[in-house]
Amino acid sequence: MPQATAPPAERAAGSDFAPLLRQVREQGLLERRRGWYALAIAANLLALAATAAGIVLVGDSWWALPLAVPAAVFCARACFVGHDGGHAQIAATRRGNRLIGLLHADLLLGMSYGWWNDKHNRHHANPNHVDKDPDVGVGALVWTQGQAARREGAFVRWLTRNQARLFFPMLLLEGLNLKVSGVRDLKRQEAPERRVEAMLMVLHWTGYATLLLSSMSPGKAVAFALLHHALFGLHLGAVFAPNHKGMEMPDPDGERWGHLRRQVLTSRNVRGSALTDWFLGGLNYQIEHHLFPSMPRPHLRLARPLVRAHCRAAGLPYTETGLVDSYRQALRHMHEVGAPLRAERSLTGR
């Protein structure tokens, strides 16, 4: 599988990005943090094991449902590790990072590492580009007024008119959508990768179903699984929503931006405490992460002052806000995208 490393950055010698890249390298911020990741992975595996043990101990009781909360939180931690493996942040080799990604995504979560990595690589290469970034393509939601104007069908147009208020409720379905999308993507993969991923996902689903059905009645097991996946999707959506929504979107027919401009202008950082860093998996340092995708997660906060100073010197805005305000900005953008359809409805009554 392709790794989401930073070849554009490596080829940026002589550009306005090169001095920053040199400074970051000199401070050792691109060096691996294997010990940090080993401790983080071990702690999360223990937390997941403790949650599973709690499900077994509580047994056939509705009191098992609150355990869906830690299950969702620690599954999101596993997702962050798989994400970092896909960016080659953890191991020294491509094979090692892929193994970490497969074990965390396919085996622990039941979602396709190959699908996610392919989609995420394309996002990193062209963030917020309507023709090239799959994260701003037309789907259940749309991200430009041009996309909204082309929506057809009464339900779809209603959805677009109200997408800002429906955004967080729709995230409750994202946990299931991630798994369904991964399964559908298997046919795209080459046979060896497809076999490995399918086997690991089947092992996950078998183990997950066995854990729930051996501990509680089928009705409670279904209720737990639905709640767990709803909270998991909500958590991941809450992590990724502030990063780019409402930021600049390159003109597909305009001048091609360089690496620094392309990544900084389309990304938003989220300020906060160590708890914010933990909850958002380090992705609150979205500008640094996009400039240096292979930078280990604990180094992102250390790179922040260097990147801010460089952007100031280059005359580029460095967008940073609080968590609540980041959601407000993202929702405002989604609301504005649907404005023409709301105006049309008020004029035509349809």
Side-chain angles (χ1 to χ4, degrees):
M1 284 299 148
Q3 296 293 327
T5 52
E10 298 298 331
R11 295 195 295 267
S15 73
D16 53 1
F17 177 67
L20 177 61
L21 176 60
R22 194 159 48 244
Q23 195 176 12
V24 164
R25 275 183 174 154
E26 288 172 355
Q27 297 204 14
L29 298 180
L30 296 178
E31 299 296 323
R32 301 282 186 269
R33 289 290 300 273
R34 296 186 189 88
W36 186 93
Y37 274 108
L39 288 174
I41 290 171
N44 196 58
L45 290 176
L46 286 174
L48 284 170
T51 303
I55 292 171
V56 173
L57 290 173
V58 174
D60 190 19
S61 167
W62 290 110
W63 287 107
L65 262 62
L67 290 171
V69 176
V73 169
F74 297 125
C75 281
R77 305 301 106 194
C79 192
F80 296 150
V81 173
H83 165 272
D84 292 0
H87 281 298
Q89 294 177 16
I90 304 174
T93 65
R94 176 181 178 274
R95 177 177 294 182
N97 283 301
R98 180 170 182 265
L99 178 61
I100 291 169
L102 286 170
L103 292 178
H104 281 80
D106 294 76
L107 184 60
L108 286 179
L109 300 176
M111 56 182 279
S112 170
Y113 170 75
W115 165 75
W116 168 263
N117 214 32
D118 174 73
K119 175 176 176 287
H120 201 57
N121 284 349
R122 289 184 283 128
H123 159 70
H124 266 264
N126 292 282
N128 269 13
H129 191 295
V130 292
D131 291 338
K132 298 178 180 180
D133 182 357
D135 289 354
V136 292
V138 175
L141 305 173
V142 292
W143 309 105
T144 71
Q145 292 188 350
Q147 291 174 335
R150 293 189 292 271
R151 300 288 257 177
E152 296 182 356
F155 174 73
V156 172
R157 290 171 72 83
W158 172 84
L159 188 65
T160 301
R161 287 196 301 268
N162 298 281
Q163 62 180 13
R165 70 183 66 179
L166 294 173
F167 177 68
F168 281 104
M170 289 173 68
L171 289 179
L172 297 173
L173 300 174
E174 184 62 14
L176 294 174
N177 177 58
L178 290 171
K179 297 190 175 184
V180 171
S181 297
V183 171
R184 293 174 61 184
D185 185 71
L186 286 176
K187 62 181 180 293
R188 177 193 60 83
Q189 300 184 28
E190 296 181 4
E193 285 80 10
R194 181 167 60 244
R195 283 194 294 269
V196 170
E197 293 218 47
M199 179 191 69
L200 290 174
M201 285 192 282
V202 168
L203 285 174
H204 165 82
W205 299 328
T206 302
Y208 186 76
T210 299
L211 171 66
L212 296 186
L213 292 173
S214 64
S215 303
M216 59 189 78
S217 67
K220 293 186 182 72
V222 170
F224 183 96
L226 290 175
L227 180 60
H228 171 208
H229 284 83
L231 295 175
F232 175 62
L234 181 63
H235 185 3
L236 287 184
V239 169
F240 288 100
N243 298 341
H244 304 281
K245 304 301 181 273
M247 296 301 296
E248 288 202 36
M249 302 184 75
D251 181 355
D253 301 319
E255 179 185 359
R256 182 171 173 79
W257 294 350
H259 180 70
L260 182 70
R261 185 177 180 85
R262 181 168 64 248
Q263 305 299 347
V264 171
L265 296 185
T266 60
S267 302
R268 177 193 294 113
N269 274 17
V270 176
R271 290 190 300 267
S273 63
L275 179 61
T276 306
D277 292 2
W278 181 85
F279 177 75
L280 298 180
L283 294 176
N284 47 315
Y285 302 106
Q286 190 67 195
I287 296 173
E288 289 72 25
H289 172 58
H290 262 257
L291 286 171
F292 306 100
S294 62
M295 180 179 287
R297 195 192 314 171
H299 288 171
L300 293 172
R301 64 180 180 85
L302 303 178
R304 174 175 167 268
L306 301 179
V307 174
R308 286 185 65 187
H310 186 77
C311 288
R312 189 181 302 115
L316 285 178
Y318 180 95
T319 304
E320 191 173 45
T321 187
L323 182 60
V324 173
D325 190 51
S326 71
Y327 293 139
R328 185 181 297 115
Q329 291 181 38
L331 292 174
R332 184 187 304 125
H333 172 72
M334 284 186 271
H335 186 70
E336 290 171 354
V337 165
L341 293 189
R342 291 192 298 276
E344 177 186 313
R345 184 172 184 269
S346 66
L347 290 173
T348 64
R350 292 187 292 111

